[in-house]
Amino acid sequence: LRKFAATHRWAVGFATLALLALTAATAVSITAERHAREEARVANRTAELVSDMFLSRKNGMNLPSMTMRDFFSHLINTAAADRELPAASRYRLLRDLAPRAAEIGAAAASEQAARGVLELAPRLFGTVSAEVAQAHDTLTLIALVARGRAAAEEMQAHVDAAASIYATLGMEQHV
């Protein structure tokens, strides 16, 4: 083998490079396939969750007779409780539902969603991240609108936490 390799240096070099490229391409392909399979699992679970929210009559829920406030409460309770849905997906769902629930006057559901976002954000992004600061800000705004002065003292702690994170990150505070 040494004699052959010495005689055909260029051919052995190119064959080695081709083998390495083939190995790398296989590894990338396997990783991409695993990622695609996980994304499909998450998409299917999200579709099942949304379908259950709209079509299921579990726990005596009857969609046609529900008010929008009841519906948002049901939606947020279901999303927050579903542990099969990955934390990142629950985070995005609750983050998007919180302001919508507030807009239609579902104050308790909106605050529950904002608290869920604040619980998930540090696990997903670290305790000192823009997402955690934004979660503090969102909860503060929602709670103050929903409960007014009764929430002011508790929410000051969230304003302070957000301010500290923004200062650490060198960002401007939004609230």
Side-chain angles (χ1 to χ4, degrees):
L1 278 175
R2 277 189 219 152
K3 190 174 181 180
F4 179 81
T7 306
H8 300 82
R9 256 186 212 134
W10 288 102
V12 170
F14 284 126
T16 302
L17 283 175
L19 183 61
L20 288 174
L22 182 62
T23 303
T26 301
V28 167
S29 178
I30 289 169
T31 302
E33 186 268 336
R34 285 182 182 156
H35 181 70
R37 192 178 313 147
E38 178 60 18
E39 288 291 320
R41 187 190 71 73
V42 169
N44 286 337
R45 180 62 200 139
T46 303
E48 288 172 11
L49 181 65
V50 171
S51 177
D52 284 350
M53 287 178 193
F54 283 102
L55 303 175
S56 176
R57 292 188 180 206
K58 293 177 185 174
N59 302 325
M61 301 306 282
N62 185 5
L63 189 63
S65 67
M66 293 174 80
T67 66
M68 284 299 286
R69 288 183 183 133
D70 292 340
F71 175 70
F72 268 87
S73 293
H74 172 62
L75 202 62
I76 289 167
N77 286 336
T78 304
D82 190 313
R83 297 298 180 228
E84 288 182 47
L85 194 62
S89 297
R90 273 187 291 129
Y91 167 83
R92 285 190 304 273
L93 190 55
L94 292 172
R95 182 198 62 203
D96 294 344
L97 286 172
R100 301 299 80 78
E103 287 171 2
I104 60 126
S110 179
E111 190 171 338
Q112 178 188 354
R115 287 185 187 281
V117 170
L118 185 56
E119 176 188 320
L120 291 166
R123 289 191 289 169
L124 295 168
F125 306 105
T127 54
V128 179
S129 65
E131 291 82 2
V132 172
Q134 290 165 354
H136 281 292
D137 285 344
T138 300
L139 177 58
T140 299
L141 291 172
I142 287 171
L144 288 174
V145 168
R147 295 186 284 135
R149 295 182 72 74
E153 188 175 307
E154 177 191 352
M155 292 306 111
Q156 186 59 49
H158 292 289
V159 169
D160 295 342
S164 173
I165 293 169
Y166 285 130
T168 302
L169 294 173
M171 296 173 66
E172 188 175 311
Q173 189 164 4
H174 300 284
V175 174

